Amino acid sequence: TGKTLAYLLPLLCTSPGGQTGEGTGGVLIVTPTIELAVQIQREVDVLWPRQRQPLEEEEDSFGRSSLFVVGADELDNESNNNLQDGSTGMDGEEEEDTNNNSQEEEIPPGRRTLQSIGHAPLIAGTPKMLRMLYREAERIANDPNYYNGILAPAVSKEERIASAALLSNLRAIVLDEADRLLRTEAAAREATERKQRKIARRKAEEAAAAAMEEYLPPPPPAKK
């Protein structure tokens, strides 16, 4: 219907620095699903074609998109896992990859995103993923030494630069499919509240049972 182009064209045409000078995180697009964010990325790639980075020498590299989708790597991993459900064995190379993945898990997801975000002028993702990213950026920007002494690698220069850019370059926010966003957030909040009520009810029942056992005498033995 052209809805995506209706907000992308004005944002890209009014960019103060264009595709290469906008700055990291100049435009933030909030979507209800990661799949929708990936669709928007395809539209951006038509208007602002992907660009090869100086260090990207692989022949099969398609270059970096101007729109970075937070959480797209998890979507790709889920798809790969679905394709590998029928596998029955693991060779040495796969074991090595598993070991590497376990080492990467020591890095918080927000930091992994900061390391790979590059200079993308547009960022898209779900509210949950974006909150995770910006909280991590704020933590690093306020205290670069936060992770010193914690079981995680030290904060890199790229992470510090990306964190500062995310917190200072933002000029526009787009709520794509706001009705679905509101329903998604409301459903998530209701699920959290329902879980909290369930936990509180279980704790109250356990406390009541413990009190009954402490203050009530044991029942008399059954008569034969």
Side-chain angles (χ1 to χ4, degrees):
T1 60
K3 174 179 61 67
T4 304
L5 291 177
Y7 67 76
L8 278 181
L9 286 174
L11 288 172
L12 301 186
C13 291
T14 58
S15 173
Q19 184 175 9
T20 58
E22 169 75 34
T24 305
V27 176
L28 183 65
I29 303 175
V30 188
T31 63
T33 64
I34 298 178
E35 290 82 0
L36 178 57
V38 173
Q39 294 177 19
I40 299 171
Q41 185 185 56
R42 298 193 190 105
E43 300 295 332
V44 172
D45 290 344
V46 174
L47 301 172
W48 277 359
R50 289 173 175 258
Q51 293 188 334
R52 291 284 300 274
Q53 301 299 310
L55 299 180
E56 291 181 345
E57 299 178 356
E58 296 84 353
E59 294 181 358
D60 58 348
S61 175
F62 293 101
R64 287 179 176 265
S65 174
S66 295
L67 188 148
F68 182 87
V69 178
V70 182
D73 52 346
E74 295 184 3
L75 188 65
D76 294 337
N77 292 337
E78 182 179 348
S79 300
N80 293 334
N81 291 336
N82 293 335
L83 293 175
Q84 296 174 359
D85 282 343
S87 61
T88 58
M90 178 179 293
D91 57 22
E93 293 181 357
E94 290 175 339
E95 291 179 355
E96 183 178 355
D97 292 341
T98 302
N99 294 333
N100 292 337
N101 291 335
S102 63
Q103 294 176 358
E104 291 178 357
E105 288 175 357
E106 298 178 358
I107 304 177
R111 287 189 57 186
R112 289 203 297 268
T113 302
L114 288 172
Q115 293 172 0
S116 57
I117 201 170
H119 300 286
L122 293 86
I123 298 175
T126 63
K128 178 181 177 181
M129 302 301 291
L130 293 174
R131 277 195 296 265
M132 172 198 68
L133 173 62
Y134 276 83
R135 284 173 181 169
E136 195 65 58
E138 186 176 11
R139 181 182 294 122
I140 292 177
N142 292 337
D143 185 9
N145 299 321
Y146 175 83
Y147 283 99
N148 289 0
I150 301 179
L151 188 59
V155 177
S156 64
K157 179 180 178 181
E158 290 75 14
E159 291 176 79
R160 293 195 298 268
I161 294 175
S163 298
L166 287 176
L167 299 177
S168 60
N169 290 343
L170 184 62
R171 67 179 178 92
I173 300 178
V174 177
L175 303 180
D176 199 338
E177 298 195 12
D179 55 337
R180 290 182 61 190
L181 282 172
L182 292 174
R183 288 199 300 269
T184 302
E185 287 292 287
R189 184 166 54 251
E190 181 180 355
T192 301
E193 293 174 353
R194 186 166 56 249
K195 182 178 180 181
Q196 292 174 346
R197 289 195 300 268
K198 184 176 180 180
I199 293 175
R201 184 167 58 251
R202 185 176 67 249
K203 289 183 177 180
E205 292 173 353
E206 293 175 353
M212 293 289 286
E213 292 178 359
E214 182 177 355
Y215 293 106
L216 290 180
K223 295 181 180 180
K224 295 183 180 180

